[in-house]
Amino acid sequence: MKSILAAALIAAAPMAAFAQEAPSLSLHRFTIGGGVVWSGGYDIGDQTAQLRGNGPGPSAQPFTLFTSESRLTSAISPDVRVVFAMTRQLTLEFGTSVRQPHISVAIDGDAEAPSQELPGEKLEQYLFEGGATWQVPLSIGDKRAPASISERLAPFVSGGITFLRQLHEDRTLAETGQIYHAGGGARYFLKGGHGSGRALGVRGEARVNFRRKGIDFENKTRIYPTLTLSVFVGL
Amino acid sequence: MTRRTAITLALLLTIGSASPHAYLKLGAVVNGRVIAATWKQQPIGYFISERPGNGVTPMDLLAATQRATATWSGVPSANVRFAFQSMTSAPAEGIDGKTVLGFIDRPDLDRVLGATSFMIDTATGEIAEADIFFNSRFAFSVAPNGQADRVDLESVVLHELGHLLGLGHSAIGETERNSSGSRQVIGSGSVMFPIAMMAGATADRALQPDDIAGISDLYPAGQILDAGGIVGRVTKNGQGVMGAHVVAFNPETGILVGNFTLDTDGAFVIARLPSGPYILRVEPLDDAEPDSFFPGAIDTDFRVTYAPRMIVAPSGGSSPTIEIQVRPK
């Protein structure tokens, strides 16, 4: 019985701190935000240019003309999102972003040319995202300060899905895919966040992304990071 | 008056170096313009000569030819049909109104396995007749898995039938000089490469993407919506490069399809590519004798160069023109 009571007290303590100190977006209100997102690069496939070898029978050791290693480069792009606070902890988020990474290609193994990295093809990526954040209770503030960090900072975990549309440089071919993400971050309220007044703040988030389909020469799921920094304002 | 000209064009599949004239597609000059020489009437009727070969019978040649014609006809994106007429006592040469395949002993052509000659209507570009001879100086084989020291007949038939259909030579291949000074294939990406593989090899019984793109360009089977072309120029010091070999490589599928710059502006077209992005590699024509491809002088004084970016062959269309600048060696 004692152990059950102790557990209940431990569980209740952070909730109490959350309720008293943690800021949050206004319930059942929209917030808009804008900022920049850095998207990490990732490999999109290796391939070998092979010729049939010359030997007896139907097949012989193939001859390698060259190999290619393709990679989507990192990119920094604008990020826009709309957030709706379902509860004090749960928000729904809808965002969009336009990115312009390059496909760089490393050429190797060519007997007649040096190894080299081609400058690459510029892509246009359109991302349409839907997701949710769950504000987690955290009390790290110095209660002696009148506006402590704990009264301004609202950490969260996030998850969602993104529709991806990629256009090659000449805009003659488009490919689509999906991105699933999980991550976390925090909102730092410069103003508001405690039920009165319009909220204004800064939002930072780090994600791990799992991209399926889209431009990929091996049709693999790729994992890459993103970092977002934005400003938000309540409506 | 019908203006028909017997083109004394002999397209040779060789062991070692030789000097036939060809382009990727055969051309006929019609009203001052070069147009592709093709068969307008199909199926293409052919006869098999009754003369035996070295180690094979006329019926072996018929069977190998039927397999090879089925291979060309089996390209889904091309419309090619053949029809065997009969065995014939006519030789596989000369103008007689018959398209004949057969063996001829040509000891003077000591490196030529086979050759195709044409009669082309120079008013329309239509191929009116073609003959293919296989050189009896060489020992051929029709063994299912090849036979050491004997040249695979079906592979040679498949190559020569490509010429008969209007394809020239492809340069997708790598060679090295052997001790006797002749070229030896170390890798090939096309049945239409002008130098044959070693005796006993049977890899050239199967068409490669380069062959399929070429035949699909000559005899397209309807509108191909999932294929596109890449167009561009190869330049050196601001001037067009004539005779540069441009190879398109798909980094997803690994296919290789090539063509040449065919004018002094350095312009090239690689048609009938499966849509998608391609890496372009430009090389001088130095893995076969240049006159295996071009009757005149071409520029081979430049380094192997890659296009600075991938370029997309769009579905049902062509890419914007890409310029690839090469540097002298």
Side-chain angles (χ1 to χ4, degrees):
Chain A
M1 190 65 185
K2 276 186 178 179
S3 62
I4 294 173
L5 181 60
L9 288 172
I10 292 168
M15 291 301 292
F18 179 88
Q20 291 172 0
E21 299 176 11
S24 64
L25 299 176
S26 299
L27 191 62
H28 297 160
R29 301 287 293 272
F30 284 99
T31 300
I32 60 169
V36 293
V37 56
W38 172 85
S39 175
Y42 55 92
D43 293 337
I44 56 172
D46 304 341
Q47 187 58 271
T48 302
Q50 285 186 329
L51 304 178
R52 292 169 303 161
N54 187 8
S59 61
Q61 183 71 23
F63 175 84
T64 297
L65 193 60
F66 63 88
T67 62
S68 68
E69 296 176 17
S70 303
R71 183 174 175 80
L72 203 71
T73 62
S74 61
I76 295 177
S77 59
D79 176 78
V80 177
R81 63 187 54 247
V82 175
V83 179
F84 182 74
M86 295 286 289
T87 68
R88 285 180 57 82
Q89 293 83 34
L90 178 65
T91 66
L92 300 182
E93 299 199 351
F94 305 93
T96 185
S97 178
V98 180
R99 297 174 193 166
Q100 293 187 323
H102 282 70
I103 296 179
S104 69
V105 181
I107 300 292
D108 199 11
D110 189 326
E112 299 176 276
S115 297
Q116 56 195 286
E117 182 150 335
L118 307 180
E121 176 197 15
K122 187 174 71 179
L123 287 183
E124 282 187 19
Q125 294 193 142
Y126 299 89
L127 298 96
F128 304 95
E129 169 199 328
T133 66
W134 179 262
Q135 192 166 318
V136 294
L138 185 69
S139 180
I140 59 173
D142 177 357
K143 293 181 180 176
R144 287 170 299 183
S148 67
I149 290 177
S150 65
E151 291 173 331
R152 293 174 177 264
L153 191 68
F156 60 83
V157 293
S158 61
I161 184 170
T162 299
F163 172 77
L164 171 68
R165 181 174 172 83
Q166 297 173 305
L167 272 177
H168 287 274
E169 180 165 333
D170 299 316
R171 304 177 72 87
T172 52
L173 187 67
E175 301 192 37
T176 58
Q178 306 93 41
I179 302 167
Y180 303 90
H181 72 259
R187 297 183 186 92
Y188 187 81
F189 286 77
L190 300 171
K191 183 182 170 189
H194 292 281
S196 62
R198 176 174 291 182
L200 174 68
V202 178
R203 177 184 184 279
E205 184 184 8
R207 290 179 179 176
V208 177
N209 301 275
F210 303 84
R211 197 232 54 204
R212 289 184 65 244
K213 299 188 178 177
I215 295 173
D216 195 291
F217 302 138
E218 294 174 341
N219 293 318
K220 289 181 177 176
T221 297
R222 306 291 179 177
I223 303 172
Y224 67 98
T226 52
L227 298 173
T228 307
L229 187 63
S230 59
V231 175
F232 64 87
V233 59
L235 297 179
Chain B
M1 186 177 78
T2 303
R3 294 188 305 148
R4 284 193 167 177
T5 303
I7 306 297
T8 56
L9 188 62
L11 294 167
L12 314 174
L13 179 63
T14 71
I15 288 179
S17 55
S19 305
H21 294 175
Y23 296 93
L24 179 68
K25 294 182 285 188
L26 298 181
V29 179
V30 177
N31 297 326
R33 289 179 56 234
V34 177
I35 63 169
T38 56
W39 297 82
K40 309 299 185 204
Q41 301 291 327
Q42 293 204 40
I44 302 166
Y46 67 90
F47 296 82
I48 297 292
S49 169
E50 293 170 343
R51 297 184 187 182
N54 182 347
V56 290
T57 66
M59 296 310 292
D60 288 333
L61 175 58
L62 172 60
T65 302
Q66 288 176 325
R67 290 193 294 273
T69 54
T71 301
W72 282 112
S73 299
V75 175
S77 53
N79 181 22
V80 172
R81 288 174 295 136
F82 293 90
F84 170 61
Q85 304 298 302
S86 69
M87 305 301 286
T88 178
S89 58
E93 60 186 353
I95 301 171
D96 56 7
K98 289 181 176 177
T99 290
V100 182
L101 288 74
F103 294 99
I104 296 178
D105 188 21
R106 292 293 300 270
D108 54 316
L109 300 176
D110 63 350
R111 290 185 174 182
V112 175
L113 294 167
T116 304
S117 58
F118 298 89
M119 187 170 74
I120 297 174
D121 187 331
T122 55
T124 64
E126 178 179 4
I127 300 174
E129 178 190 340
D131 294 314
I132 299 175
F133 83 81
F134 305 96
N135 195 345
S136 295
R137 184 180 185 278
F138 294 91
F140 288 99
S141 167
V142 291
N145 296 316
Q147 194 173 346
D149 301 325
R150 287 181 177 268
V151 177
D152 182 57
L153 181 60
E154 183 179 335
S155 299
V156 181
V157 174
L158 192 67
H159 176 99
E160 295 301 331
L161 283 176
H163 290 320
L164 180 142
L165 289 165
L167 289 175
H169 282 144
S170 166
I172 299 184
E174 294 291 323
T175 63
E176 60 185 5
R177 297 276 188 187
N178 60 24
S179 56
S180 67
S182 61
R183 293 185 186 276
Q184 177 177 315
V185 176
I186 53 177
S188 169
S190 172
V191 164
M192 299 311 296
F193 193 64
I195 304 173
M197 289 194 176
M198 64 186 295
T202 60
D204 272 343
R205 292 179 184 176
L207 298 176
Q208 298 299 296
D210 185 64
D211 307 306
I212 292 168
I215 202 65
S216 302
D217 192 29
L218 276 180
Y219 301 94
Q223 191 177 10
I224 300 175
L225 297 177
D226 59 350
I230 292 176
V231 297
R233 288 183 70 217
V234 177
T235 61
K236 183 175 74 173
N237 300 326
Q239 303 294 314
V241 175
M242 170 71 177
H245 187 224
V246 185
V247 176
F249 169 67
N250 186 311
E252 181 168 9
T253 63
I255 70 164
L256 291 160
V257 178
N259 207 340
F260 299 96
T261 58
L262 292 174
D263 60 29
T264 53
D265 287 335
F268 69 86
V269 178
I270 305 177
R272 299 286 170 177
L273 292 167
S275 63
Y278 286 83
I279 295 168
L280 298 182
R281 179 181 188 266
V282 184
E283 61 178 354
L285 190 48
D286 57 7
D287 280 295
E289 303 309 319
D291 57 8
S292 298
F293 301 86
F294 294 94
I298 62 169
D299 189 347
T300 59
D301 179 28
F302 61 90
R303 302 176 189 175
V304 170
T305 304
Y306 289 86
R309 66 177 176 90
M310 282 194 279
I311 190 158
V312 169
S315 297
S318 291
S319 71
T321 300
I322 184 171
E323 181 174 350
I324 306 170
Q325 299 176 351
V326 299
R327 290 190 300 164
K329 287 179 179 171

